[in-house]
Amino acid sequence: MTRAKARYLAILLPFGMAACSTSGAYPSLAQRDVERVSGSGTPAAAEEAAPVPALPPASADLVTRLAGLVKVAQAADRQFQSNRAAATRAVAASGGVGTDSWSTASVALAKLESSRSSGMGALADLDTLYADARDAAPLDESPSTLAITSARSEVAALLDAQDKVIADLSGRLKG
């Protein structure tokens, strides 16, 4: 054994690091008898928990705000759908990168993407409302949280469908 290795082992041995050495037999890592669980105790009887009081329903203000955010996203979707046909035609007619038809298709695709911005804003507001509702009731899904989740799912579904259209058109745009 080299002098450096002997010195290294002399430092490690007091700290229970002997298993790291390369000399001698290693201790077994098998479970020892003392580590096995045994006993004959009986568990204590469970206490019945008091019923949890119901959380208050979502406020009328929140329901109105959620409906407004969903309407904003639906209006953005209608705008998106009205721009979709023009973008699809422009992408189908586009030529190589730098041509006029490619530029026209790029602008149409950008217009399609920007038509969804108010829907994205509505989703961001819904995310903030959800985070605030979960912060107020972290252990339970309150009626407010459930209402927000429902509105958020509706808006997210619209945006997911739009994402697929944009991805398809972007993939077909030559360049």
PDB file of all heavy atoms in Angstrom, residues 123-164:
ATOM      1  N   LEU A 123     -56.130  33.626 -20.199  1.00  0.00           N
ATOM      2  CA  LEU A 123     -55.583  32.440 -19.530  1.00  0.00           C
ATOM      3  C   LEU A 123     -54.618  32.835 -18.414  1.00  0.00           C
ATOM      4  O   LEU A 123     -54.621  32.238 -17.339  1.00  0.00           O
ATOM      5  CB  LEU A 123     -54.889  31.528 -20.541  1.00  0.00           C
ATOM      6  CG  LEU A 123     -54.349  30.215 -19.980  1.00  0.00           C
ATOM      7  CD1 LEU A 123     -55.478  29.344 -19.432  1.00  0.00           C
ATOM      8  CD2 LEU A 123     -53.582  29.468 -21.054  1.00  0.00           C
ATOM      9  N   ALA A 124     -53.820  33.850 -18.648  1.00  0.00           N
ATOM     10  CA  ALA A 124     -52.895  34.327 -17.614  1.00  0.00           C
ATOM     11  C   ALA A 124     -53.662  34.834 -16.396  1.00  0.00           C
ATOM     12  O   ALA A 124     -53.290  34.555 -15.253  1.00  0.00           O
ATOM     13  CB  ALA A 124     -51.988  35.414 -18.177  1.00  0.00           C
ATOM     14  N   ASP A 125     -54.752  35.572 -16.624  1.00  0.00           N
ATOM     15  CA  ASP A 125     -55.574  36.051 -15.513  1.00  0.00           C
ATOM     16  C   ASP A 125     -56.192  34.878 -14.753  1.00  0.00           C
ATOM     17  O   ASP A 125     -56.265  34.887 -13.516  1.00  0.00           O
ATOM     18  CB  ASP A 125     -56.686  36.981 -16.015  1.00  0.00           C
ATOM     19  CG  ASP A 125     -56.171  38.349 -16.405  1.00  0.00           C
ATOM     20  OD1 ASP A 125     -54.983  38.644 -16.140  1.00  0.00           O
ATOM     21  OD2 ASP A 125     -56.957  39.131 -16.987  1.00  0.00           O
ATOM     22  N   LEU A 126     -56.644  33.869 -15.487  1.00  0.00           N
ATOM     23  CA  LEU A 126     -57.222  32.690 -14.847  1.00  0.00           C
ATOM     24  C   LEU A 126     -56.174  31.949 -14.021  1.00  0.00           C
ATOM     25  O   LEU A 126     -56.473  31.441 -12.933  1.00  0.00           O
ATOM     26  CB  LEU A 126     -57.850  31.758 -15.888  1.00  0.00           C
ATOM     27  CG  LEU A 126     -59.139  32.286 -16.523  1.00  0.00           C
ATOM     28  CD1 LEU A 126     -59.501  31.476 -17.752  1.00  0.00           C
ATOM     29  CD2 LEU A 126     -60.271  32.265 -15.505  1.00  0.00           C
ATOM     30  N   ASP A 127     -54.956  31.884 -14.525  1.00  0.00           N
ATOM     31  CA  ASP A 127     -53.876  31.247 -13.768  1.00  0.00           C
ATOM     32  C   ASP A 127     -53.614  31.996 -12.460  1.00  0.00           C
ATOM     33  O   ASP A 127     -53.407  31.382 -11.413  1.00  0.00           O
ATOM     34  CB  ASP A 127     -52.590  31.189 -14.594  1.00  0.00           C
ATOM     35  CG  ASP A 127     -52.631  30.131 -15.686  1.00  0.00           C
ATOM     36  OD1 ASP A 127     -53.505  29.235 -15.631  1.00  0.00           O
ATOM     37  OD2 ASP A 127     -51.800  30.204 -16.606  1.00  0.00           O
ATOM     38  N   THR A 128     -53.630  33.312 -12.521  1.00  0.00           N
ATOM     39  CA  THR A 128     -53.421  34.122 -11.315  1.00  0.00           C
ATOM     40  C   THR A 128     -54.556  33.910 -10.320  1.00  0.00           C
ATOM     41  O   THR A 128     -54.315  33.744  -9.115  1.00  0.00           O
ATOM     42  CB  THR A 128     -53.306  35.614 -11.689  1.00  0.00           C
ATOM     43  OG1 THR A 128     -52.213  35.777 -12.591  1.00  0.00           O
ATOM     44  CG2 THR A 128     -53.096  36.479 -10.463  1.00  0.00           C
ATOM     45  N   LEU A 129     -55.798  33.920 -10.818  1.00  0.00           N
ATOM     46  CA  LEU A 129     -56.942  33.669  -9.941  1.00  0.00           C
ATOM     47  C   LEU A 129     -56.846  32.290  -9.290  1.00  0.00           C
ATOM     48  O   LEU A 129     -57.142  32.124  -8.105  1.00  0.00           O
ATOM     49  CB  LEU A 129     -58.253  33.788 -10.727  1.00  0.00           C
ATOM     50  CG  LEU A 129     -58.663  35.192 -11.152  1.00  0.00           C
ATOM     51  CD1 LEU A 129     -59.859  35.130 -12.106  1.00  0.00           C
ATOM     52  CD2 LEU A 129     -59.003  36.035  -9.928  1.00  0.00           C
ATOM     53  N   TYR A 130     -56.434  31.292 -10.068  1.00  0.00           N
ATOM     54  CA  TYR A 130     -56.308  29.938  -9.539  1.00  0.00           C
ATOM     55  C   TYR A 130     -55.240  29.877  -8.447  1.00  0.00           C
ATOM     56  O   TYR A 130     -55.456  29.289  -7.387  1.00  0.00           O
ATOM     57  CB  TYR A 130     -55.975  28.947 -10.659  1.00  0.00           C
ATOM     58  CG  TYR A 130     -55.860  27.530 -10.167  1.00  0.00           C
ATOM     59  CD1 TYR A 130     -56.996  26.760  -9.931  1.00  0.00           C
ATOM     60  CD2 TYR A 130     -54.621  26.961  -9.912  1.00  0.00           C
ATOM     61  CE1 TYR A 130     -56.894  25.465  -9.464  1.00  0.00           C
ATOM     62  CE2 TYR A 130     -54.509  25.668  -9.438  1.00  0.00           C
ATOM     63  CZ  TYR A 130     -55.656  24.921  -9.222  1.00  0.00           C
ATOM     64  OH  TYR A 130     -55.552  23.644  -8.738  1.00  0.00           O
ATOM     65  N   ALA A 131     -54.106  30.502  -8.706  1.00  0.00           N
ATOM     66  CA  ALA A 131     -53.029  30.505  -7.702  1.00  0.00           C
ATOM     67  C   ALA A 131     -53.482  31.187  -6.420  1.00  0.00           C
ATOM     68  O   ALA A 131     -53.215  30.703  -5.313  1.00  0.00           O
ATOM     69  CB  ALA A 131     -51.787  31.186  -8.268  1.00  0.00           C
ATOM     70  N   ASP A 132     -54.203  32.291  -6.550  1.00  0.00           N
ATOM     71  CA  ASP A 132     -54.708  32.993  -5.366  1.00  0.00           C
ATOM     72  C   ASP A 132     -55.729  32.146  -4.612  1.00  0.00           C
ATOM     73  O   ASP A 132     -55.725  32.099  -3.380  1.00  0.00           O
ATOM     74  CB  ASP A 132     -55.339  34.331  -5.763  1.00  0.00           C
ATOM     75  CG  ASP A 132     -54.312  35.342  -6.250  1.00  0.00           C
ATOM     76  OD1 ASP A 132     -53.098  35.136  -6.003  1.00  0.00           O
ATOM     77  OD2 ASP A 132     -54.722  36.335  -6.897  1.00  0.00           O
ATOM     78  N   ALA A 133     -56.604  31.453  -5.343  1.00  0.00           N
ATOM     79  CA  ALA A 133     -57.616  30.612  -4.705  1.00  0.00           C
ATOM     80  C   ALA A 133     -56.965  29.431  -3.993  1.00  0.00           C
ATOM     81  O   ALA A 133     -57.388  29.056  -2.889  1.00  0.00           O
ATOM     82  CB  ALA A 133     -58.632  30.124  -5.736  1.00  0.00           C
ATOM     83  N   ARG A 134     -55.943  28.838  -4.598  1.00  0.00           N
ATOM     84  CA  ARG A 134     -55.249  27.713  -3.952  1.00  0.00           C
ATOM     85  C   ARG A 134     -54.453  28.199  -2.750  1.00  0.00           C
ATOM     86  O   ARG A 134     -54.313  27.471  -1.768  1.00  0.00           O
ATOM     87  CB  ARG A 134     -54.325  27.002  -4.940  1.00  0.00           C
ATOM     88  CG  ARG A 134     -55.044  26.200  -5.997  1.00  0.00           C
ATOM     89  CD  ARG A 134     -55.976  25.174  -5.450  1.00  0.00           C
ATOM     90  NE  ARG A 134     -55.214  24.122  -4.788  1.00  0.00           N
ATOM     91  CZ  ARG A 134     -55.747  23.081  -4.186  1.00  0.00           C
ATOM     92  NH1 ARG A 134     -57.044  22.932  -4.143  1.00  0.00           N
ATOM     93  NH2 ARG A 134     -54.997  22.192  -3.611  1.00  0.00           N
ATOM     94  N   ASP A 135     -53.961  29.423  -2.807  1.00  0.00           N
ATOM     95  CA  ASP A 135     -53.241  29.983  -1.671  1.00  0.00           C
ATOM     96  C   ASP A 135     -54.201  30.202  -0.503  1.00  0.00           C
ATOM     97  O   ASP A 135     -53.837  29.983   0.653  1.00  0.00           O
ATOM     98  CB  ASP A 135     -52.571  31.296  -2.083  1.00  0.00           C
ATOM     99  CG  ASP A 135     -51.633  31.819  -1.021  1.00  0.00           C
ATOM    100  OD1 ASP A 135     -50.908  30.995  -0.416  1.00  0.00           O
ATOM    101  OD2 ASP A 135     -51.602  33.043  -0.798  1.00  0.00           O
ATOM    102  N   ALA A 136     -55.429  30.610  -0.799  1.00  0.00           N
ATOM    103  CA  ALA A 136     -56.419  30.854   0.242  1.00  0.00           C
ATOM    104  C   ALA A 136     -56.916  29.548   0.861  1.00  0.00           C
ATOM    105  O   ALA A 136     -57.256  29.515   2.051  1.00  0.00           O
ATOM    106  CB  ALA A 136     -57.600  31.646  -0.325  1.00  0.00           C
ATOM    107  N   ALA A 137     -56.993  28.483   0.082  1.00  0.00           N
ATOM    108  CA  ALA A 137     -57.446  27.179   0.580  1.00  0.00           C
ATOM    109  C   ALA A 137     -56.515  26.105   0.023  1.00  0.00           C
ATOM    110  O   ALA A 137     -56.858  25.404  -0.924  1.00  0.00           O
ATOM    111  CB  ALA A 137     -58.885  26.931   0.159  1.00  0.00           C
ATOM    112  N   PRO A 138     -55.319  25.955   0.607  1.00  0.00           N
ATOM    113  CA  PRO A 138     -54.327  25.047   0.021  1.00  0.00           C
ATOM    114  C   PRO A 138     -54.653  23.566   0.150  1.00  0.00           C
ATOM    115  O   PRO A 138     -54.187  22.761  -0.643  1.00  0.00           O
ATOM    116  CB  PRO A 138     -53.041  25.392   0.774  1.00  0.00           C
ATOM    117  CG  PRO A 138     -53.477  26.038   2.030  1.00  0.00           C
ATOM    118  CD  PRO A 138     -54.790  26.684   1.747  1.00  0.00           C
ATOM    119  N   LEU A 139     -55.440  23.195   1.125  1.00  0.00           N
ATOM    120  CA  LEU A 139     -55.698  21.779   1.345  1.00  0.00           C
ATOM    121  C   LEU A 139     -56.955  21.276   0.645  1.00  0.00           C
ATOM    122  O   LEU A 139     -57.067  20.091   0.360  1.00  0.00           O
ATOM    123  CB  LEU A 139     -55.799  21.486   2.845  1.00  0.00           C
ATOM    124  CG  LEU A 139     -54.533  21.822   3.658  1.00  0.00           C
ATOM    125  CD1 LEU A 139     -54.764  21.539   5.123  1.00  0.00           C
ATOM    126  CD2 LEU A 139     -53.339  21.062   3.142  1.00  0.00           C
ATOM    127  N   ASP A 140     -57.898  22.137   0.418  1.00  0.00           N
ATOM    128  CA  ASP A 140     -59.172  21.736  -0.175  1.00  0.00           C
ATOM    129  C   ASP A 140     -59.392  22.487  -1.473  1.00  0.00           C
ATOM    130  O   ASP A 140     -58.970  23.621  -1.620  1.00  0.00           O
ATOM    131  CB  ASP A 140     -60.344  22.061   0.772  1.00  0.00           C
ATOM    132  CG  ASP A 140     -60.238  21.326   2.093  1.00  0.00           C
ATOM    133  OD1 ASP A 140     -59.911  20.125   2.060  1.00  0.00           O
ATOM    134  OD2 ASP A 140     -60.481  21.949   3.144  1.00  0.00           O
ATOM    135  N   GLU A 141     -60.079  21.828  -2.395  1.00  0.00           N
ATOM    136  CA  GLU A 141     -60.485  22.539  -3.611  1.00  0.00           C
ATOM    137  C   GLU A 141     -61.806  23.220  -3.291  1.00  0.00           C
ATOM    138  O   GLU A 141     -62.836  22.573  -3.170  1.00  0.00           O
ATOM    139  CB  GLU A 141     -60.625  21.569  -4.786  1.00  0.00           C
ATOM    140  CG  GLU A 141     -59.284  21.122  -5.305  1.00  0.00           C
ATOM    141  CD  GLU A 141     -59.266  20.986  -6.810  1.00  0.00           C
ATOM    142  OE1 GLU A 141     -59.902  21.798  -7.502  1.00  0.00           O
ATOM    143  OE2 GLU A 141     -58.610  20.055  -7.261  1.00  0.00           O
ATOM    144  N   SER A 142     -61.758  24.505  -3.142  1.00  0.00           N
ATOM    145  CA  SER A 142     -62.943  25.277  -2.795  1.00  0.00           C
ATOM    146  C   SER A 142     -63.841  25.417  -4.016  1.00  0.00           C
ATOM    147  O   SER A 142     -63.405  25.190  -5.153  1.00  0.00           O
ATOM    148  CB  SER A 142     -62.526  26.662  -2.301  1.00  0.00           C
ATOM    149  OG  SER A 142     -61.953  27.400  -3.359  1.00  0.00           O
ATOM    150  N   PRO A 143     -65.096  25.791  -3.812  1.00  0.00           N
ATOM    151  CA  PRO A 143     -65.964  26.058  -4.963  1.00  0.00           C
ATOM    152  C   PRO A 143     -65.380  27.130  -5.893  1.00  0.00           C
ATOM    153  O   PRO A 143     -65.529  27.040  -7.106  1.00  0.00           O
ATOM    154  CB  PRO A 143     -67.271  26.520  -4.311  1.00  0.00           C
ATOM    155  CG  PRO A 143     -67.276  25.831  -2.981  1.00  0.00           C
ATOM    156  CD  PRO A 143     -65.834  25.833  -2.551  1.00  0.00           C
ATOM    157  N   SER A 144     -64.679  28.097  -5.333  1.00  0.00           N
ATOM    158  CA  SER A 144     -64.031  29.109  -6.171  1.00  0.00           C
ATOM    159  C   SER A 144     -62.958  28.473  -7.040  1.00  0.00           C
ATOM    160  O   SER A 144     -62.863  28.748  -8.237  1.00  0.00           O
ATOM    161  CB  SER A 144     -63.399  30.200  -5.300  1.00  0.00           C
ATOM    162  OG  SER A 144     -64.386  30.903  -4.592  1.00  0.00           O
ATOM    163  N   THR A 145     -62.166  27.608  -6.454  1.00  0.00           N
ATOM    164  CA  THR A 145     -61.117  26.923  -7.203  1.00  0.00           C
ATOM    165  C   THR A 145     -61.715  26.071  -8.310  1.00  0.00           C
ATOM    166  O   THR A 145     -61.209  26.050  -9.435  1.00  0.00           O
ATOM    167  CB  THR A 145     -60.272  26.044  -6.256  1.00  0.00           C
ATOM    168  OG1 THR A 145     -59.751  26.855  -5.213  1.00  0.00           O
ATOM    169  CG2 THR A 145     -59.125  25.385  -6.993  1.00  0.00           C
ATOM    170  N   LEU A 146     -62.790  25.369  -8.000  1.00  0.00           N
ATOM    171  CA  LEU A 146     -63.437  24.527  -9.014  1.00  0.00           C
ATOM    172  C   LEU A 146     -64.000  25.363 -10.158  1.00  0.00           C
ATOM    173  O   LEU A 146     -63.891  24.976 -11.330  1.00  0.00           O
ATOM    174  CB  LEU A 146     -64.531  23.678  -8.368  1.00  0.00           C
ATOM    175  CG  LEU A 146     -64.042  22.630  -7.358  1.00  0.00           C
ATOM    176  CD1 LEU A 146     -65.222  21.949  -6.672  1.00  0.00           C
ATOM    177  CD2 LEU A 146     -63.142  21.617  -8.033  1.00  0.00           C
ATOM    178  N   ALA A 147     -64.588  26.511  -9.836  1.00  0.00           N
ATOM    179  CA  ALA A 147     -65.123  27.393 -10.882  1.00  0.00           C
ATOM    180  C   ALA A 147     -63.997  27.931 -11.763  1.00  0.00           C
ATOM    181  O   ALA A 147     -64.123  27.982 -12.997  1.00  0.00           O
ATOM    182  CB  ALA A 147     -65.908  28.533 -10.245  1.00  0.00           C
ATOM    183  N   ILE A 148     -62.904  28.300 -11.140  1.00  0.00           N
ATOM    184  CA  ILE A 148     -61.756  28.812 -11.896  1.00  0.00           C
ATOM    185  C   ILE A 148     -61.178  27.702 -12.774  1.00  0.00           C
ATOM    186  O   ILE A 148     -60.836  27.927 -13.938  1.00  0.00           O
ATOM    187  CB  ILE A 148     -60.684  29.390 -10.949  1.00  0.00           C
ATOM    188  CG1 ILE A 148     -61.232  30.608 -10.205  1.00  0.00           C
ATOM    189  CG2 ILE A 148     -59.420  29.759 -11.716  1.00  0.00           C
ATOM    190  CD1 ILE A 148     -60.395  31.034  -9.011  1.00  0.00           C
ATOM    191  N   THR A 149     -61.071  26.502 -12.232  1.00  0.00           N
ATOM    192  CA  THR A 149     -60.542  25.369 -12.984  1.00  0.00           C
ATOM    193  C   THR A 149     -61.395  25.084 -14.218  1.00  0.00           C
ATOM    194  O   THR A 149     -60.874  24.824 -15.304  1.00  0.00           O
ATOM    195  CB  THR A 149     -60.468  24.113 -12.089  1.00  0.00           C
ATOM    196  OG1 THR A 149     -59.607  24.393 -10.990  1.00  0.00           O
ATOM    197  CG2 THR A 149     -59.945  22.913 -12.845  1.00  0.00           C
ATOM    198  N   SER A 150     -62.686  25.163 -14.059  1.00  0.00           N
ATOM    199  CA  SER A 150     -63.594  24.928 -15.190  1.00  0.00           C
ATOM    200  C   SER A 150     -63.395  25.981 -16.277  1.00  0.00           C
ATOM    201  O   SER A 150     -63.269  25.648 -17.465  1.00  0.00           O
ATOM    202  CB  SER A 150     -65.041  24.930 -14.702  1.00  0.00           C
ATOM    203  OG  SER A 150     -65.924  24.810 -15.778  1.00  0.00           O
ATOM    204  N   ALA A 151     -63.348  27.245 -15.891  1.00  0.00           N
ATOM    205  CA  ALA A 151     -63.143  28.321 -16.867  1.00  0.00           C
ATOM    206  C   ALA A 151     -61.762  28.203 -17.503  1.00  0.00           C
ATOM    207  O   ALA A 151     -61.621  28.370 -18.726  1.00  0.00           O
ATOM    208  CB  ALA A 151     -63.297  29.680 -16.182  1.00  0.00           C
ATOM    209  N   ARG A 152     -60.775  27.872 -16.704  1.00  0.00           N
ATOM    210  CA  ARG A 152     -59.409  27.736 -17.227  1.00  0.00           C
ATOM    211  C   ARG A 152     -59.325  26.590 -18.228  1.00  0.00           C
ATOM    212  O   ARG A 152     -58.667  26.709 -19.254  1.00  0.00           O
ATOM    213  CB  ARG A 152     -58.434  27.500 -16.080  1.00  0.00           C
ATOM    214  CG  ARG A 152     -57.008  27.591 -16.552  1.00  0.00           C
ATOM    215  CD  ARG A 152     -56.010  27.102 -15.534  1.00  0.00           C
ATOM    216  NE  ARG A 152     -54.670  27.204 -16.061  1.00  0.00           N
ATOM    217  CZ  ARG A 152     -54.174  26.466 -17.048  1.00  0.00           C
ATOM    218  NH1 ARG A 152     -54.904  25.556 -17.625  1.00  0.00           N
ATOM    219  NH2 ARG A 152     -52.935  26.636 -17.467  1.00  0.00           N
ATOM    220  N   SER A 153     -59.998  25.486 -17.954  1.00  0.00           N
ATOM    221  CA  SER A 153     -59.992  24.347 -18.880  1.00  0.00           C
ATOM    222  C   SER A 153     -60.613  24.720 -20.218  1.00  0.00           C
ATOM    223  O   SER A 153     -60.115  24.326 -21.279  1.00  0.00           O
ATOM    224  CB  SER A 153     -60.738  23.165 -18.268  1.00  0.00           C
ATOM    225  OG  SER A 153     -60.070  22.696 -17.131  1.00  0.00           O
ATOM    226  N   GLU A 154     -61.686  25.483 -20.169  1.00  0.00           N
ATOM    227  CA  GLU A 154     -62.354  25.906 -21.399  1.00  0.00           C
ATOM    228  C   GLU A 154     -61.446  26.807 -22.247  1.00  0.00           C
ATOM    229  O   GLU A 154     -61.310  26.614 -23.459  1.00  0.00           O
ATOM    230  CB  GLU A 154     -63.663  26.631 -21.061  1.00  0.00           C
ATOM    231  CG  GLU A 154     -64.501  26.960 -22.255  1.00  0.00           C
ATOM    232  CD  GLU A 154     -65.845  27.576 -21.880  1.00  0.00           C
ATOM    233  OE1 GLU A 154     -66.286  27.457 -20.716  1.00  0.00           O
ATOM    234  OE2 GLU A 154     -66.460  28.198 -22.773  1.00  0.00           O
ATOM    235  N   VAL A 155     -60.820  27.767 -21.610  1.00  0.00           N
ATOM    236  CA  VAL A 155     -59.931  28.691 -22.324  1.00  0.00           C
ATOM    237  C   VAL A 155     -58.685  27.947 -22.828  1.00  0.00           C
ATOM    238  O   VAL A 155     -58.244  28.146 -23.965  1.00  0.00           O
ATOM    239  CB  VAL A 155     -59.550  29.888 -21.422  1.00  0.00           C
ATOM    240  CG1 VAL A 155     -58.474  30.738 -22.054  1.00  0.00           C
ATOM    241  CG2 VAL A 155     -60.786  30.730 -21.124  1.00  0.00           C
ATOM    242  N   ALA A 156     -58.131  27.075 -22.000  1.00  0.00           N
ATOM    243  CA  ALA A 156     -56.938  26.321 -22.398  1.00  0.00           C
ATOM    244  C   ALA A 156     -57.235  25.418 -23.592  1.00  0.00           C
ATOM    245  O   ALA A 156     -56.375  25.252 -24.468  1.00  0.00           O
ATOM    246  CB  ALA A 156     -56.419  25.503 -21.221  1.00  0.00           C
ATOM    247  N   ALA A 157     -58.424  24.846 -23.658  1.00  0.00           N
ATOM    248  CA  ALA A 157     -58.789  23.993 -24.793  1.00  0.00           C
ATOM    249  C   ALA A 157     -58.817  24.805 -26.089  1.00  0.00           C
ATOM    250  O   ALA A 157     -58.356  24.334 -27.138  1.00  0.00           O
ATOM    251  CB  ALA A 157     -60.139  23.332 -24.545  1.00  0.00           C
ATOM    252  N   LEU A 158     -59.342  26.024 -26.030  1.00  0.00           N
ATOM    253  CA  LEU A 158     -59.351  26.887 -27.217  1.00  0.00           C
ATOM    254  C   LEU A 158     -57.912  27.188 -27.670  1.00  0.00           C
ATOM    255  O   LEU A 158     -57.595  27.095 -28.859  1.00  0.00           O
ATOM    256  CB  LEU A 158     -60.078  28.202 -26.923  1.00  0.00           C
ATOM    257  CG  LEU A 158     -61.576  28.137 -26.673  1.00  0.00           C
ATOM    258  CD1 LEU A 158     -62.107  29.497 -26.211  1.00  0.00           C
ATOM    259  CD2 LEU A 158     -62.307  27.670 -27.903  1.00  0.00           C
ATOM    260  N   LEU A 159     -57.072  27.527 -26.720  1.00  0.00           N
ATOM    261  CA  LEU A 159     -55.687  27.874 -27.043  1.00  0.00           C
ATOM    262  C   LEU A 159     -54.890  26.657 -27.522  1.00  0.00           C
ATOM    263  O   LEU A 159     -54.039  26.786 -28.405  1.00  0.00           O
ATOM    264  CB  LEU A 159     -55.015  28.534 -25.850  1.00  0.00           C
ATOM    265  CG  LEU A 159     -55.582  29.920 -25.501  1.00  0.00           C
ATOM    266  CD1 LEU A 159     -55.039  30.395 -24.167  1.00  0.00           C
ATOM    267  CD2 LEU A 159     -55.281  30.915 -26.593  1.00  0.00           C
ATOM    268  N   ASP A 160     -55.167  25.499 -26.968  1.00  0.00           N
ATOM    269  CA  ASP A 160     -54.486  24.283 -27.426  1.00  0.00           C
ATOM    270  C   ASP A 160     -54.828  23.982 -28.878  1.00  0.00           C
ATOM    271  O   ASP A 160     -53.952  23.612 -29.672  1.00  0.00           O
ATOM    272  CB  ASP A 160     -54.847  23.089 -26.547  1.00  0.00           C
ATOM    273  CG  ASP A 160     -54.190  23.132 -25.181  1.00  0.00           C
ATOM    274  OD1 ASP A 160     -53.215  23.890 -25.013  1.00  0.00           O
ATOM    275  OD2 ASP A 160     -54.649  22.400 -24.284  1.00  0.00           O
ATOM    276  N   ALA A 161     -56.103  24.141 -29.243  1.00  0.00           N
ATOM    277  CA  ALA A 161     -56.513  23.919 -30.632  1.00  0.00           C
ATOM    278  C   ALA A 161     -55.825  24.933 -31.556  1.00  0.00           C
ATOM    279  O   ALA A 161     -55.382  24.589 -32.657  1.00  0.00           O
ATOM    280  CB  ALA A 161     -58.029  24.009 -30.757  1.00  0.00           C
ATOM    281  N   GLN A 162     -55.722  26.168 -31.099  1.00  0.00           N
ATOM    282  CA  GLN A 162     -55.044  27.193 -31.890  1.00  0.00           C
ATOM    283  C   GLN A 162     -53.557  26.872 -32.031  1.00  0.00           C
ATOM    284  O   GLN A 162     -52.975  27.072 -33.107  1.00  0.00           O
ATOM    285  CB  GLN A 162     -55.235  28.564 -31.235  1.00  0.00           C
ATOM    286  CG  GLN A 162     -56.674  29.053 -31.259  1.00  0.00           C
ATOM    287  CD  GLN A 162     -56.876  30.286 -30.411  1.00  0.00           C
ATOM    288  OE1 GLN A 162     -55.937  30.853 -29.855  1.00  0.00           O
ATOM    289  NE2 GLN A 162     -58.126  30.717 -30.291  1.00  0.00           N
ATOM    290  N   ASP A 163     -52.943  26.383 -30.964  1.00  0.00           N
ATOM    291  CA  ASP A 163     -51.526  25.993 -31.029  1.00  0.00           C
ATOM    292  C   ASP A 163     -51.292  24.944 -32.103  1.00  0.00           C
ATOM    293  O   ASP A 163     -50.294  24.997 -32.835  1.00  0.00           O
ATOM    294  CB  ASP A 163     -51.049  25.434 -29.686  1.00  0.00           C
ATOM    295  CG  ASP A 163     -50.828  26.505 -28.630  1.00  0.00           C
ATOM    296  OD1 ASP A 163     -50.673  27.685 -29.007  1.00  0.00           O
ATOM    297  OD2 ASP A 163     -50.808  26.154 -27.436  1.00  0.00           O
ATOM    298  N   LYS A 164     -52.192  23.983 -32.205  1.00  0.00           N
ATOM    299  CA  LYS A 164     -52.048  22.918 -33.203  1.00  0.00           C
ATOM    300  C   LYS A 164     -52.140  23.475 -34.618  1.00  0.00           C
ATOM    301  O   LYS A 164     -51.387  23.070 -35.503  1.00  0.00           O
ATOM    302  CB  LYS A 164     -53.098  21.836 -32.976  1.00  0.00           C
ATOM    303  CG  LYS A 164     -52.829  21.028 -31.728  1.00  0.00           C
ATOM    304  CD  LYS A 164     -53.922  20.028 -31.447  1.00  0.00           C
ATOM    305  CE  LYS A 164     -53.630  19.331 -30.135  1.00  0.00           C
ATOM    306  NZ  LYS A 164     -54.736  18.533 -29.661  1.00  0.00           N
TER     307      LYS A 164
END
